[in-house]
Short mmCIF file of all heavy atoms in Angstrom, two decimals:
data_model
loop_
_atom_site.label_atom_id
_atom_site.label_comp_id
_atom_site.label_asym_id
_atom_site.label_seq_id
_atom_site.Cartn_x
_atom_site.Cartn_y
_atom_site.Cartn_z
N GLN A 231 -14.15 -11.40 -8.48
CA GLN A 231 -12.89 -12.10 -8.23
C GLN A 231 -11.77 -11.48 -9.06
O GLN A 231 -12.01 -10.96 -10.15
CB GLN A 231 -13.00 -13.58 -8.62
CG GLN A 231 -13.93 -14.38 -7.76
CD GLN A 231 -13.96 -15.83 -8.20
OE1 GLN A 231 -13.80 -16.13 -9.37
NE2 GLN A 231 -14.17 -16.72 -7.25
N ALA A 232 -10.58 -11.59 -8.54
CA ALA A 232 -9.41 -11.14 -9.29
C ALA A 232 -9.09 -12.17 -10.36
O ALA A 232 -9.19 -13.38 -10.13
CB ALA A 232 -8.22 -10.98 -8.36
N VAL A 233 -8.69 -11.70 -11.53
CA VAL A 233 -8.27 -12.59 -12.61
C VAL A 233 -6.95 -13.26 -12.22
O VAL A 233 -6.73 -14.42 -12.49
CB VAL A 233 -8.13 -11.81 -13.94
CG1 VAL A 233 -7.52 -12.67 -15.02
CG2 VAL A 233 -9.48 -11.27 -14.37
N ARG A 234 -6.09 -12.49 -11.54
CA ARG A 234 -4.78 -13.03 -11.15
C ARG A 234 -4.66 -12.94 -9.63
O ARG A 234 -4.69 -11.85 -9.06
CB ARG A 234 -3.66 -12.26 -11.83
CG ARG A 234 -2.29 -12.81 -11.52
CD ARG A 234 -1.24 -12.30 -12.45
NE ARG A 234 -1.08 -10.86 -12.39
CZ ARG A 234 0.02 -10.23 -12.79
NH1 ARG A 234 1.03 -10.89 -13.29
NH2 ARG A 234 0.09 -8.91 -12.71
N SER A 235 -4.50 -14.11 -9.02
CA SER A 235 -4.29 -14.16 -7.57
C SER A 235 -3.37 -15.32 -7.27
O SER A 235 -3.14 -16.19 -8.12
CB SER A 235 -5.63 -14.32 -6.84
OG SER A 235 -6.22 -15.55 -7.19
N ALA A 236 -2.81 -15.35 -6.07
CA ALA A 236 -1.89 -16.42 -5.71
C ALA A 236 -1.89 -16.66 -4.22
O ALA A 236 -1.99 -15.72 -3.43
CB ALA A 236 -0.48 -16.05 -6.17
N GLN A 237 -1.81 -17.93 -3.86
CA GLN A 237 -1.53 -18.33 -2.48
C GLN A 237 -0.05 -18.65 -2.45
O GLN A 237 0.42 -19.52 -3.18
CB GLN A 237 -2.33 -19.57 -2.10
CG GLN A 237 -3.79 -19.32 -1.89
CD GLN A 237 -4.48 -20.56 -1.33
OE1 GLN A 237 -3.98 -21.66 -1.41
NE2 GLN A 237 -5.65 -20.35 -0.75
N LEU A 238 0.70 -17.93 -1.63
CA LEU A 238 2.15 -18.03 -1.64
C LEU A 238 2.67 -18.80 -0.43
O LEU A 238 2.20 -18.61 0.69
CB LEU A 238 2.77 -16.63 -1.67
CG LEU A 238 2.27 -15.72 -2.79
CD1 LEU A 238 2.82 -14.32 -2.63
CD2 LEU A 238 2.63 -16.30 -4.14
N SER A 239 3.64 -19.65 -0.69
CA SER A 239 4.26 -20.45 0.35
C SER A 239 5.74 -20.63 0.03
O SER A 239 6.19 -20.25 -1.04
CB SER A 239 3.58 -21.83 0.43
OG SER A 239 3.76 -22.53 -0.79
N VAL A 240 6.47 -21.20 0.96
CA VAL A 240 7.87 -21.53 0.73
C VAL A 240 8.01 -23.05 0.74
O VAL A 240 7.21 -23.74 1.38
CB VAL A 240 8.80 -20.89 1.80
CG1 VAL A 240 8.84 -19.38 1.65
CG2 VAL A 240 8.38 -21.26 3.20
N PRO A 241 9.01 -23.59 0.03
CA PRO A 241 9.15 -25.04 -0.06
C PRO A 241 9.95 -25.65 1.10
O PRO A 241 10.40 -26.79 1.00
CB PRO A 241 9.88 -25.22 -1.39
CG PRO A 241 10.71 -24.00 -1.53
CD PRO A 241 9.90 -22.90 -0.90
N VAL A 242 10.11 -24.91 2.18
CA VAL A 242 10.90 -25.39 3.32
C VAL A 242 10.11 -25.19 4.62
O VAL A 242 9.22 -24.35 4.68
CB VAL A 242 12.25 -24.64 3.43
CG1 VAL A 242 13.15 -24.97 2.25
CG2 VAL A 242 12.04 -23.14 3.54
N ALA A 243 10.46 -25.96 5.62
CA ALA A 243 9.86 -25.78 6.94
C ALA A 243 10.73 -24.85 7.75
O ALA A 243 11.95 -24.81 7.57
CB ALA A 243 9.73 -27.14 7.63
N GLY A 244 10.11 -24.10 8.64
CA GLY A 244 10.90 -23.23 9.50
C GLY A 244 10.03 -22.23 10.23
O GLY A 244 8.82 -22.14 10.02
N ARG A 245 10.69 -21.45 11.07
CA ARG A 245 10.01 -20.43 11.88
C ARG A 245 9.98 -19.12 11.10
O ARG A 245 10.97 -18.72 10.51
CB ARG A 245 10.78 -20.26 13.18
CG ARG A 245 10.08 -19.41 14.21
CD ARG A 245 10.72 -19.53 15.58
NE ARG A 245 10.83 -20.90 16.07
CZ ARG A 245 9.84 -21.61 16.63
NH1 ARG A 245 8.65 -21.05 16.77
NH2 ARG A 245 10.02 -22.83 17.04
N ILE A 246 8.83 -18.45 11.10
CA ILE A 246 8.69 -17.17 10.42
C ILE A 246 9.45 -16.12 11.23
O ILE A 246 9.09 -15.84 12.37
CB ILE A 246 7.21 -16.77 10.26
CG1 ILE A 246 6.47 -17.81 9.41
CG2 ILE A 246 7.09 -15.38 9.62
CD1 ILE A 246 4.96 -17.60 9.33
N SER A 247 10.52 -15.58 10.64
CA SER A 247 11.36 -14.61 11.36
C SER A 247 11.02 -13.16 10.98
O SER A 247 11.32 -12.25 11.74
CB SER A 247 12.84 -14.88 11.10
OG SER A 247 13.13 -14.77 9.72
N GLN A 248 10.42 -12.95 9.81
CA GLN A 248 9.95 -11.63 9.40
C GLN A 248 8.62 -11.81 8.68
O GLN A 248 8.47 -12.74 7.90
CB GLN A 248 10.93 -10.97 8.43
CG GLN A 248 12.27 -10.59 9.02
CD GLN A 248 13.14 -9.93 7.97
OE1 GLN A 248 12.71 -9.03 7.26
NE2 GLN A 248 14.37 -10.40 7.85
N LEU A 249 7.70 -10.92 8.93
CA LEU A 249 6.40 -10.99 8.27
C LEU A 249 5.90 -9.57 7.99
O LEU A 249 4.98 -9.07 8.62
CB LEU A 249 5.40 -11.76 9.15
CG LEU A 249 4.08 -12.16 8.52
CD1 LEU A 249 4.29 -13.04 7.30
CD2 LEU A 249 3.19 -12.86 9.53
N PRO A 250 6.56 -8.89 7.02
CA PRO A 250 6.16 -7.52 6.73
C PRO A 250 4.83 -7.41 5.98
O PRO A 250 4.26 -6.32 5.89
CB PRO A 250 7.32 -6.98 5.89
CG PRO A 250 7.96 -8.18 5.30
CD PRO A 250 7.74 -9.31 6.28
N ALA A 251 4.31 -8.51 5.45
CA ALA A 251 3.03 -8.47 4.71
C ALA A 251 1.89 -8.12 5.65
O ALA A 251 1.77 -8.69 6.73
CB ALA A 251 2.77 -9.82 4.04
N GLN A 252 1.07 -7.17 5.22
CA GLN A 252 -0.11 -6.76 5.99
C GLN A 252 -1.33 -6.81 5.08
O GLN A 252 -1.25 -6.42 3.91
CB GLN A 252 0.07 -5.32 6.50
CG GLN A 252 1.25 -5.13 7.43
CD GLN A 252 1.09 -5.83 8.75
OE1 GLN A 252 -0.01 -5.85 9.31
NE2 GLN A 252 2.15 -6.43 9.26
N VAL A 253 -2.44 -7.27 5.62
CA VAL A 253 -3.68 -7.35 4.83
C VAL A 253 -4.03 -5.96 4.30
O VAL A 253 -3.90 -4.96 5.00
CB VAL A 253 -4.83 -7.92 5.69
CG1 VAL A 253 -6.15 -7.87 4.93
CG2 VAL A 253 -4.52 -9.35 6.10
N ASN A 254 -4.43 -5.91 3.05
CA ASN A 254 -4.80 -4.71 2.29
C ASN A 254 -3.62 -3.84 1.89
O ASN A 254 -3.82 -2.77 1.31
CB ASN A 254 -5.85 -3.85 3.03
CG ASN A 254 -7.17 -4.57 3.17
OD1 ASN A 254 -7.56 -5.34 2.29
ND2 ASN A 254 -7.85 -4.36 4.28
N ALA A 255 -2.39 -4.27 2.18
CA ALA A 255 -1.22 -3.50 1.77
C ALA A 255 -0.95 -3.72 0.29
O ALA A 255 -1.09 -4.82 -0.23
CB ALA A 255 0.01 -3.94 2.58
N THR A 256 -0.59 -2.65 -0.40
CA THR A 256 -0.20 -2.74 -1.80
C THR A 256 1.29 -3.08 -1.84
O THR A 256 2.08 -2.46 -1.14
CB THR A 256 -0.45 -1.40 -2.51
OG1 THR A 256 -1.85 -1.11 -2.43
CG2 THR A 256 -0.04 -1.46 -3.98
N VAL A 257 1.64 -4.09 -2.65
CA VAL A 257 3.03 -4.53 -2.73
C VAL A 257 3.51 -4.53 -4.18
O VAL A 257 2.70 -4.64 -5.11
CB VAL A 257 3.24 -5.93 -2.09
CG1 VAL A 257 2.92 -5.90 -0.61
CG2 VAL A 257 2.38 -6.97 -2.79
N LYS A 258 4.80 -4.41 -4.35
CA LYS A 258 5.42 -4.44 -5.68
C LYS A 258 6.02 -5.83 -5.92
O LYS A 258 6.42 -6.52 -4.98
CB LYS A 258 6.55 -3.40 -5.77
CG LYS A 258 6.09 -1.99 -5.52
CD LYS A 258 5.48 -1.42 -6.75
CE LYS A 258 5.13 0.04 -6.54
NZ LYS A 258 4.10 0.49 -7.43
N ALA A 259 6.13 -6.21 -7.17
CA ALA A 259 6.76 -7.48 -7.53
C ALA A 259 8.17 -7.52 -6.95
O ALA A 259 8.92 -6.56 -7.04
CB ALA A 259 6.81 -7.64 -9.05
N GLY A 260 8.51 -8.63 -6.31
CA GLY A 260 9.83 -8.79 -5.72
C GLY A 260 9.93 -8.32 -4.28
O GLY A 260 10.93 -8.58 -3.61
N GLN A 261 8.90 -7.66 -3.77
CA GLN A 261 8.92 -7.16 -2.39
C GLN A 261 8.84 -8.33 -1.41
O GLN A 261 8.07 -9.27 -1.60
CB GLN A 261 7.75 -6.20 -2.18
CG GLN A 261 7.73 -5.55 -0.82
CD GLN A 261 6.63 -4.49 -0.73
OE1 GLN A 261 6.25 -3.89 -1.73
NE2 GLN A 261 6.10 -4.29 0.47
N LEU A 262 9.60 -8.27 -0.32
CA LEU A 262 9.59 -9.30 0.70
C LEU A 262 8.26 -9.31 1.42
O LEU A 262 7.79 -8.28 1.91
CB LEU A 262 10.73 -9.07 1.71
CG LEU A 262 10.82 -10.09 2.85
CD1 LEU A 262 11.25 -11.45 2.31
CD2 LEU A 262 11.79 -9.61 3.92
N LEU A 263 7.65 -10.50 1.50
CA LEU A 263 6.38 -10.66 2.21
C LEU A 263 6.57 -11.44 3.50
O LEU A 263 5.88 -11.20 4.49
CB LEU A 263 5.37 -11.39 1.32
CG LEU A 263 5.04 -10.71 -0.02
CD1 LEU A 263 4.14 -11.59 -0.84
CD2 LEU A 263 4.44 -9.34 0.21
N ALA A 264 7.50 -12.39 3.49
CA ALA A 264 7.79 -13.19 4.69
C ALA A 264 9.20 -13.77 4.55
O ALA A 264 9.68 -14.02 3.44
CB ALA A 264 6.78 -14.32 4.85
N GLN A 265 9.82 -13.97 5.69
CA GLN A 265 11.17 -14.56 5.74
C GLN A 265 11.12 -15.69 6.76
O GLN A 265 10.65 -15.51 7.87
CB GLN A 265 12.19 -13.50 6.17
CG GLN A 265 13.57 -14.04 6.47
CD GLN A 265 14.36 -14.32 5.20
OE1 GLN A 265 14.37 -13.52 4.27
NE2 GLN A 265 15.01 -15.46 5.17
N ILE A 266 11.61 -16.85 6.34
CA ILE A 266 11.71 -17.99 7.23
C ILE A 266 13.13 -18.01 7.77
O ILE A 266 14.08 -17.72 7.04
CB ILE A 266 11.40 -19.32 6.49
CG1 ILE A 266 10.05 -19.23 5.76
CG2 ILE A 266 11.43 -20.50 7.43
CD1 ILE A 266 8.86 -18.85 6.61
N ASP A 267 13.30 -18.33 9.06
CA ASP A 267 14.64 -18.37 9.66
C ASP A 267 15.53 -19.28 8.82
O ASP A 267 15.26 -20.46 8.67
CB ASP A 267 14.56 -18.87 11.10
CG ASP A 267 15.90 -18.87 11.79
OD1 ASP A 267 16.84 -18.26 11.26
OD2 ASP A 267 16.01 -19.48 12.86
N ALA A 268 16.56 -18.68 8.26
CA ALA A 268 17.43 -19.40 7.33
C ALA A 268 18.86 -19.41 7.82
O ALA A 268 19.79 -19.39 7.01
CB ALA A 268 17.33 -18.77 5.95
N ALA A 269 19.06 -19.46 9.13
CA ALA A 269 20.42 -19.37 9.67
C ALA A 269 21.32 -20.45 9.09
O ALA A 269 22.44 -20.17 8.68
CB ALA A 269 20.37 -19.46 11.20
N SER A 270 20.84 -21.69 9.03
CA SER A 270 21.70 -22.77 8.52
C SER A 270 21.99 -22.59 7.04
O SER A 270 23.11 -22.81 6.59
CB SER A 270 21.06 -24.14 8.78
OG SER A 270 19.82 -24.24 8.11
N ALA A 271 20.99 -22.16 6.27
CA ALA A 271 21.20 -21.94 4.84
C ALA A 271 22.15 -20.76 4.61
O ALA A 271 23.00 -20.80 3.73
CB ALA A 271 19.87 -21.70 4.12
N ASP A 272 22.01 -19.71 5.42
CA ASP A 272 22.91 -18.55 5.30
C ASP A 272 24.35 -18.95 5.64
O ASP A 272 25.29 -18.51 4.98
CB ASP A 272 22.46 -17.42 6.22
CG ASP A 272 21.18 -16.75 5.73
OD1 ASP A 272 20.85 -16.90 4.53
OD2 ASP A 272 20.52 -16.08 6.55
N GLN A 273 24.52 -19.77 6.67
CA GLN A 273 25.86 -20.23 7.03
C GLN A 273 26.47 -21.06 5.92
O GLN A 273 27.66 -20.92 5.62
CB GLN A 273 25.82 -21.02 8.34
CG GLN A 273 25.55 -20.16 9.55
CD GLN A 273 25.33 -20.96 10.82
OE1 GLN A 273 25.20 -22.17 10.79
NE2 GLN A 273 25.27 -20.27 11.94
N ALA A 274 25.67 -21.91 5.29
CA ALA A 274 26.17 -22.72 4.18
C ALA A 274 26.58 -21.83 3.00
O ALA A 274 27.61 -22.06 2.36
CB ALA A 274 25.11 -23.73 3.73
#
Side-chain angles (χ1 to χ4, degrees):
Q231 293 181 329
V233 172
R234 183 164 62 159
S235 63
Q237 287 188 341
L238 307 173
S239 62
V240 291
V242 293
R245 190 167 305 280
I246 299 173
S247 61
Q248 292 181 48
L249 192 59
Q252 299 293 321
V253 174
N254 295 326
T256 300
V257 296
K258 301 279 185 203
Q261 184 174 332
L262 179 69
L263 301 175
Q265 171 78 45
I266 307 306
D267 183 13
S270 62
D272 289 341
Q273 289 172 351

